[in-house]
Amino acid sequence: MEEPKQGAYMEVPILKQGAYLIATVQSALTDGDLLKLRDTLVVSVSKHRARGVILDLTALDVLDSFSTRTLRDLAHMIRLRGAEMVIVGIQPEVAFAMAQFGLTLEGISTTLDLEEGLAYLDGSTKPNRIA
Amino acid sequence: MPNTRDQTAILSPPSVATVALLTELVSHLRNNRTHLREEWVRLITEAELLTAMSRDEIFAEATSVYDSYVEGLETGTLEALQSYARNLSERIIPRGVETHEVVGIVLLLRDVLARSLFAKYRSDFTILNRMLDAYEPAANRIAITVAVGFVQERERVIREQQEAIRELSTPVLQVRERLLILPIIGVIDPHRARQLTEQLLRGIRTNRARVVVIDITGVAAIDASVANHLVLTVEAARLLGATVIVTGLSPEIAQTLVKIGVDLGKMTTVGDLQGGIEEAERLLGYKVFPIGGTQGS
């Protein structure tokens, strides 16, 4: 894995809320930060026996192809670990830019904000987890 | 003469001799005002110009134009005439007066006045020639000014209307909690498509919409780039957590979408707006039935 350029990684707090984990990105992430977040989340899912993971990207004003691919990988890994991931809070401008570059996060659920994300997981994780 | 072609309101600075000639010309036109003006109006009617206006109106306008025309010749500035032409255009454009009519009447006036000069100076060809040398550039300049004024006014009206249409054209309406509709009517050009996307994405945010119905019944056809833009909008909306249902696709638009190879799995389409709203209600978990109706199950 890449080494950070200076000092520590940008910590992304991961909160446990019932059966869900909520990771809120606070500021722009480097590629290294993102990979670290991915690894941490994949481990935490089974540690906390979580049924769902919410990744809040409200604070991000850019998502490039690397981030998109990492997020897709993360979603698939989390599904393999028996939980469901939903990405929330993508900004309208970011969303359109992503669509323009063809980075559409296919197969990953997205909702408007945290509240919607929780409602989505409530609706989708109780029955058999089918993608 | 460097400034013969520019469009400023000042005629090229005339020489002293020309000034004297123009003064003589102006007094001639003033003395024969009634006769020349009537002759002009007669020619306008004969040529069937300004048919949208009554004879009295033509006469009244002709009087004003005639006077400002003579004034323009006298003073060498076209400002008064320019503002009059703009004002006139503003009044007559809504009544369907065409560019050729406006240019036509000004040219007629030029001819009427030129003929009166022929009649007056026919005994002395040298003076007539000098008189025309002074008159013609000024008269042509006036004709150009009026025509340009008319066209500019017309363009201004068109620009204003375009802006008005753009502002009116893309309402984002909430019909139920979490359900927006976006009816699109008319032609979608790239500019409008961009604006539409912006409004829709912002609307999803502010109304916390989960489903959006885009109705394009009123759009006859779209080109490939706009079709592509529509697809991008649908995908961007999905990233915001909203499902987009497109309704009322015309056969032409369907063909365009197929031609650019849209992945239909990403796009929900329903035949008409009613069907779209019903589908949206189903997605949101609403069930609508008449009060006291039999459909209570």
Side-chain angles (χ1 to χ4, degrees):
Chain A
M1 193 193 287
E2 294 174 39
E3 283 296 9
K5 281 161 202 85
Q6 34 171 259
Y9 287 108
M10 166 66 66
E11 274 305 322
V12 175
I14 298 173
L15 311 173
K16 188 173 176 323
Q17 157 71 48
Y20 309 136
L21 293 180
I22 302 172
T24 307
V25 176
Q26 312 275 7
S27 64
L29 293 178
T30 64
D31 292 355
D33 296 336
L34 199 61
L35 292 173
K36 170 96 187 304
L37 174 64
R38 182 191 69 183
D39 297 346
T40 317
L41 269 177
V42 175
V43 172
S44 313
V45 165
S46 50
K47 197 166 83 193
H48 295 290
R49 296 177 48 78
R51 279 192 286 118
V53 175
I54 296 177
L55 189 55
D56 186 353
L57 301 182
T58 310
L60 286 191
D61 47 18
V62 66
L63 268 175
D64 59 13
S65 60
F66 178 82
S67 328
T68 320
R69 205 179 61 235
T70 312
L71 291 178
R72 205 180 46 218
D73 293 351
L74 174 58
H76 291 161
M77 287 157 80
I78 284 179
R79 199 169 293 155
L80 291 172
R81 303 273 279 169
E84 171 86 9
M85 183 174 101
V86 53
I87 292 178
V88 306
I90 297 178
Q91 301 290 336
E93 306 78 47
V94 179
F96 192 70
M98 288 170 69
Q100 273 179 318
F101 292 116
L103 312 172
T104 51
L105 292 175
E106 248 154 85
I108 306 181
S109 311
T110 47
T111 61
L112 188 68
D113 53 19
L114 189 58
E115 187 184 348
E116 291 287 310
L118 285 167
Y120 171 83
L121 287 180
D122 281 342
S124 73
T125 55
K126 268 166 201 153
N128 292 338
R129 286 191 289 275
I130 300 169
Chain B
M1 287 205 285
N3 58 347
T4 17
R5 278 174 195 283
D6 71 11
Q7 290 185 2
T8 53
I10 301 190
L11 294 171
S12 47
S15 66
V16 180
T18 317
V19 170
L21 285 172
L22 279 175
T23 316
E24 192 184 332
L25 173 68
V26 165
S27 68
H28 165 70
L29 297 182
R30 288 247 159 85
N31 293 337
N32 294 285
R33 176 168 178 261
T34 320
H35 161 68
L36 290 174
R37 192 182 50 188
E38 265 157 24
E39 172 69 5
W40 183 33
V41 172
R42 192 183 64 74
L43 285 175
I44 292 176
T45 326
E46 217 167 70
E48 294 188 353
L49 295 171
L50 298 182
T51 42
M53 297 165 78
S54 74
R55 211 189 137 72
D56 287 347
E57 281 175 312
I58 295 180
F59 195 77
E61 297 294 357
T63 307
S64 317
V65 175
Y66 187 93
D67 290 344
S68 8
Y69 196 99
V70 174
E71 198 193 315
L73 285 175
E74 185 180 25
T75 58
T77 60
L78 296 180
E79 266 154 25
L81 193 64
Q82 223 169 23
S83 76
Y84 179 77
R86 211 171 297 137
N87 177 287
L88 176 69
S89 311
E90 220 168 277
R91 275 178 289 133
I92 62 180
I93 285 174
R95 306 179 57 170
V97 175
E98 298 290 338
T99 316
H100 76 90
E101 293 183 286
V102 171
V103 176
I105 63 166
V106 179
L107 293 181
L108 276 180
L109 177 58
R110 195 194 60 172
D111 296 346
V112 168
L113 301 188
R115 287 209 177 187
S116 86
L117 291 177
F118 285 131
K120 186 168 194 278
Y121 297 105
R122 72 184 146 198
S123 53
D124 190 333
F125 187 68
T126 327
I127 298 185
L128 173 63
N129 240 347
R130 281 170 46 210
M131 202 52 134
L132 287 178
D133 280 346
Y135 168 69
E136 279 166 354
N140 287 346
R141 185 66 64 81
I142 289 173
I144 292 170
T145 306
V146 173
V148 168
F150 182 81
V151 172
Q152 277 175 346
E153 174 63 20
R154 219 182 175 149
E155 283 168 359
R156 194 184 62 76
V157 169
I158 293 173
R159 263 197 308 279
E160 271 183 11
Q161 286 173 343
Q162 275 178 337
E163 270 164 37
I165 291 171
R166 271 190 194 138
E167 277 171 28
L168 286 175
S169 60
T170 47
V172 179
L173 310 166
Q174 174 158 354
V175 285
R176 267 183 223 304
E177 212 44 22
R178 301 293 168 86
L179 170 55
L180 295 181
I181 58 173
L182 179 74
I184 306 174
I185 291 171
V187 180
I188 313 182
D189 56 13
H191 173 88
R192 197 176 163 203
R194 243 194 331 277
Q195 196 189 26
L196 215 131
T197 305
E198 254 168 55
Q199 289 201 353
L200 176 65
L201 297 182
R202 218 175 304 135
I204 290 174
R205 193 103 240 232
T206 48
N207 295 296
R208 301 177 54 78
R210 283 233 317 265
V211 182
V212 182
V213 179
I214 300 182
D215 180 59
I216 54 174
T217 314
V219 183
I222 52 179
D223 64 16
S225 83
V226 172
N228 207 29
H229 196 94
L230 185 69
V231 176
L232 296 186
T233 306
V234 171
E235 288 177 0
R238 193 189 78 82
L239 290 174
L240 295 187
T243 308
V244 176
I245 298 171
V246 184
T247 66
L249 280 105
S250 71
E252 289 79 15
I253 294 181
Q255 202 161 23
T256 310
L257 286 177
V258 171
K259 248 184 218 149
I260 65 168
V262 175
D263 181 354
L264 293 172
K266 289 183 200 159
M267 218 158 132
T268 315
T269 52
V270 179
D272 57 7
L273 182 58
Q274 182 186 350
I277 291 179
E278 282 164 5
E279 171 72 10
E281 282 166 344
R282 201 183 58 73
L283 287 173
L284 289 168
Y286 288 110
K287 194 168 217 176
V288 180
F289 52 85
I291 297 173
T294 48
Q295 202 189 340
S297 55

